[in-house]
Amino acid sequence: MNSCKILMPTGGLGAGILQEAFDRGMALKPDVIAVDAGSTDSGPAYLANGMSKYARQASKHDLRITTIGAMTAGIPLFIGSCGTCGTDNMVDYYAEIVEEIFREEGFQGKIAKIYCQQSPDVLKQKWDEGKIHALDGAPDITRETFDECSNIVAVLGAEPFIEAYNQGANIVLAGRATDTAIMAALPLHKGCDVAAAWHGAKTVECGAQCADKSDGLGVFLTVDETGFYVKPLMPDAHCTPYTVSAHMLYENSDPHRLREPSGTLIARDAVYTQFDEQTTYVTGSKFEHATQYTMKLEGAAIMGYQNISLVGIANRKVLADPEKWIANISAHVDRYIKRAGINKEDYSFNFKAYGYNAVVEGPVPEGTPPPREIGMLLTVTAKTQELATQVAKIFNPYLLHFPADFNEQLPSFAFPFSPVDCPRGATYAFKLFHVVDVEDPLELVRIAYVDIDGREEK
Amino acid sequence: MAKVQDIALYVRSKGAGPFWVTIEVFFDNDEAYETFKNSQKVTKGTIAKLYGVEEALVKEFYIDNIRVGKFSFPRRHPAGWEYENDMHSGQQYIRLAEAEV
């Protein structure tokens, strides 16, 4: 019977792999090491700038453990969504680190670099052909939106990983990929059950989140022609029918269906069985092949520039009604900003009362006692960094002294920093939640291979 | 009146991609789960009101075998917009947790 064993050593490459857990996984003789390095969870800045949210040192730590593991055992390493956002430069960045490791360790082998960043021109043509479709909840876009984005990636399915594997790559470094494609690729290629490959991949995509101890360490997945087996790497953790089925809910708007480029996983009728103390066995999921292969598009753009000021307030009168203070200072200072000749279309600002209702916005429940103190955060957004900073500076004296009641002596609030205001650079937005129809899974994908011989330097 | 947090094992929320939020309510006994599932006070309409979204866009699921209720809905602004208050939507469960069941 066809089967495939996958070591998934961490929920996110760069977040930290524990060597002991990794070694336990390697002892189970995996056919592939598969790791996801990406996410849109931390917001649009990473994609807009083509940058990773993890430190280079931390990424290299995890790349070293996985590269040495793969090269020593003679199995491939699949990494998807290089550098958080999976732009082309992030694939090159990981390739540079892996090359360093090859030279440091004296390895010889082939690296595949899978690129999926898209030029606006290609997408505008797809748009004209009616091949770009909005997903539920997508923002409205126009043909120009593609030009406005700093970077756009088309999210890879399993096929490019399989292609690189067939070309003999030892290390596959891919741009933005679905979390699941990285893990599903090899079992699909080896003829395992298609639904089990995708469902197993979804189960392990966040590492040990699918176990009873979510310590961020990895899991081991075995897919065969009937279903999949999943177990955590650490001996004190367990995958149970409860923890595994509950993970299908995680970060997924529909707990029964998961859309992939080639079709939809339907997990509604899956059967979860405890196989041994640590392992759960899952059967009965289905996969509906799509008639049209689609890739999801992710794009991010610069929306303006910001300046932030933080002031601490313990004044009882302000804390009795922070919303009223915010409304009053906003109206008061906005007049000065306009009088200073700054055009109202060119800036906006926002207050957040941390300790009151910054996190859960809106009115606080009736009867909530006033907080002891709050951190009042002023964020100014403007067309340029310079203008954002000037607007923040107009606010400065009022952030220091604006009273709850003008009939009293002016209070002075508590600044932690000098200068008070802090230019924080650009602010970004995700602009696309769309899919693009492609003729072939590789149509919008480019793969480059590099042979590296690190033996001379060793 | 009991609140959701009084009868649930735990309540959690998270972004499901940058454009959606999903909230899950876990129960450790059938009675509490059935109370929640059958409650006329916790409906798509409740979620629409609590989170300021259109009711037609709210998705509702009950997963009986693990006693979980789940609601998903589009964010009012995509994650990371200029005045973002909760990038990962990880704290947005509170409103539902504090709602009457």
Side-chain angles (χ1 to χ4, degrees):
Chain A
M1 180 156 80
N2 293 323
S3 76
C4 182
K5 294 186 284 185
I6 301 126
L7 170 57
M8 210 293 194
T10 174
L13 188 126
I17 295 173
L18 183 70
Q19 186 75 55
E20 184 200 342
F22 183 81
D23 291 343
R24 285 176 181 278
M26 289 304 291
L28 300 170
K29 304 218 174 303
D31 297 300
V32 60
I33 302 167
V35 200
D36 178 18
S39 176
T40 52
D41 292 358
S42 297
Y46 303 95
L47 175 57
N49 284 320
M51 67 180 187
S52 168
K53 72 171 184 167
Y54 294 117
R56 190 183 199 278
Q57 294 88 332
S59 303
K60 187 170 179 181
H61 172 269
D62 288 358
L63 282 169
R64 176 186 295 282
I65 290 176
T66 48
T67 299
I68 292 175
M71 295 305 289
T72 308
I75 58 170
L77 168 62
F78 289 179
I79 294 173
S81 303
C82 287
T84 307
C85 58
T87 48
D88 291 357
N89 68 311
M90 284 293 100
V91 174
D92 290 336
Y93 168 64
Y94 272 29
E96 173 196 296
I97 298 173
V98 169
E99 241 180 84
E100 269 175 32
I101 294 165
F102 265 51
R103 297 192 194 288
E104 286 159 9
E105 300 296 328
F107 291 143
Q108 182 201 15
K110 189 193 286 263
I111 299 177
K113 298 189 282 186
I114 304 178
Y115 300 111
C116 60
Q117 202 167 327
Q118 304 302 318
S119 89
D121 292 338
V122 168
L123 296 174
K124 282 190 281 187
Q125 187 168 345
K126 288 281 191 188
W127 175 263
D128 293 341
E129 290 166 0
K131 289 184 173 168
I132 292 180
H133 315 285
L135 295 169
D136 274 350
D140 290 331
I141 66 166
T142 63
R143 198 174 189 272
E144 282 65 51
T145 304
F146 303 109
D147 288 315
E148 287 159 19
C149 290
S150 316
N151 287 313
I152 301 172
V153 288
V155 184
L156 301 162
E159 295 79 359
F161 289 92
I162 296 169
E163 171 64 18
Y165 173 80
N166 284 335
Q167 297 298 322
N170 302 96
I171 312 285
V172 179
L173 302 174
R176 187 72 173 128
T178 71
D179 298 350
T180 37
I182 314 158
M183 274 69 73
L186 200 59
L188 289 172
H189 178 63
K190 285 178 171 280
C192 301
D193 181 68
V194 174
W198 287 111
H199 192 180
K202 166 62 191 167
T203 302
V204 301
E205 50 114 1
C206 286
Q209 287 258 21
C210 62
D212 59 355
K213 281 197 169 65
S214 54
D215 51 11
L217 301 171
V219 277
F220 198 87
L221 172 69
T222 305
V223 185
D224 64 20
E225 289 176 56
T226 62
F228 70 90
Y229 302 79
V230 58
K231 68 180 276 185
L233 297 177
M234 294 307 278
D236 57 342
H238 311 84
C239 284
T240 68
Y242 183 82
T243 65
V244 173
S245 54
H247 190 73
M248 192 61 203
L249 306 170
Y250 190 67
E251 293 180 340
N252 193 6
S253 62
D254 186 325
H256 305 302
R257 299 170 68 84
L258 187 69
R259 186 73 168 94
E260 294 291 340
S262 55
T264 303
L265 166 69
I266 299 161
R268 185 185 295 275
D269 299 323
V271 178
Y272 301 82
T273 318
Q274 194 78 48
F275 177 75
D276 63 27
E277 203 192 329
Q278 275 196 292
T279 312
T280 285
Y281 174 54
V282 183
T283 56
S285 32
K286 302 198 170 48
F287 192 81
E288 223 172 62
H289 285 276
T291 47
Q292 172 66 57
Y293 193 97
T294 55
M295 292 173 90
K296 196 166 92 166
L297 296 172
E298 293 174 353
I302 292 179
M303 303 305 287
Y305 297 83
Q306 294 189 323
N307 186 299
I308 53 175
S309 306
L310 178 67
V311 63
I313 300 178
N315 179 292
R316 301 288 103 196
K317 287 189 177 172
V318 176
L319 297 185
D321 192 350
E323 290 281 18
K324 188 173 156 202
W325 185 87
I326 290 172
N328 287 345
I329 189 176
S330 297
H332 192 84
V333 179
D334 209 28
R335 283 198 295 273
Y336 286 97
I337 298 169
K338 296 213 166 63
R339 270 183 230 159
I342 297 170
N343 197 332
K344 72 174 178 356
E345 281 79 44
D346 293 346
Y347 74 96
S348 66
F349 59 85
N350 166 273
F351 278 100
K352 285 187 171 47
Y354 279 92
Y356 184 66
N357 67 346
V359 177
V360 183
E361 295 169 301
V364 300
E366 240 174 87
T368 306
R372 178 160 170 78
E373 57 181 61
I374 53 176
M376 189 66 82
L377 181 73
L378 167 68
T379 305
V380 176
T381 308
K383 282 210 309 202
T384 64
Q385 185 66 70
E386 176 57 19
L387 185 61
T389 298
Q390 294 310 318
V391 171
K393 283 176 191 285
I394 295 174
F395 262 106
N396 180 314
Y398 302 96
L399 284 182
L400 175 60
H401 288 310
F402 196 83
D405 173 359
F406 273 106
N407 297 320
E408 65 173 56
Q409 215 183 82
L410 286 187
S412 296
F413 302 124
F415 285 127
F417 304 121
S418 172
V420 168
D421 71 274
C422 176
R424 63 158 231 94
T427 180
Y428 309 90
F430 285 113
K431 303 293 273 186
L432 299 173
F433 191 51
H434 294 71
V435 292
V436 56
D437 299 343
V438 291
E439 299 306 311
D440 176 274
L442 299 180
E443 182 194 336
L444 296 177
V445 180
R446 300 160 313 281
I447 309 182
Y449 298 93
V450 199
D451 288 303
I452 297 169
D453 191 344
R455 290 173 303 179
E456 309 108 48
E457 278 102 304
K458 185 73 181 175
Chain B
M1 279 306 295
K3 293 179 172 175
V4 171
Q5 64 193 10
D6 299 331
I7 64 164
L9 179 63
Y10 61 91
V11 190
R12 72 181 187 191
S13 59
K14 198 78 196 281
F19 294 90
W20 282 74
V21 186
T22 188
I23 307 180
E24 287 135 20
V25 188
F26 290 74
F27 296 89
D28 61 3
N29 66 82
D30 289 334
E31 191 193 338
Y33 174 66
E34 291 299 329
T35 302
F36 179 83
K37 186 177 172 181
N38 299 322
S39 171
Q40 295 307 304
K41 290 187 176 172
V42 183
T43 61
K44 287 184 186 183
T46 313
I47 296 293
K49 207 180 289 173
L50 285 175
Y51 293 95
V53 289
E54 242 181 89
E55 185 175 337
L57 297 172
V58 179
K59 296 186 194 175
E60 179 183 29
F61 305 95
Y62 293 97
I63 302 101
D64 294 342
N65 61 330
I66 53 171
R67 295 187 291 247
V68 175
K70 180 176 170 89
F71 291 96
S72 303
F73 51 88
R75 290 175 63 112
R76 280 185 295 164
H77 302 277
W81 78 288
E82 60 199 53
Y83 299 125
E84 180 58 74
N85 61 312
D86 186 359
M87 193 73 66
H88 295 73
S89 297
Q91 297 293 301
Q92 300 311 303
Y93 67 91
I94 287 289
R95 284 169 200 258
L96 179 58
E98 290 178 346
E100 282 182 8
V101 66

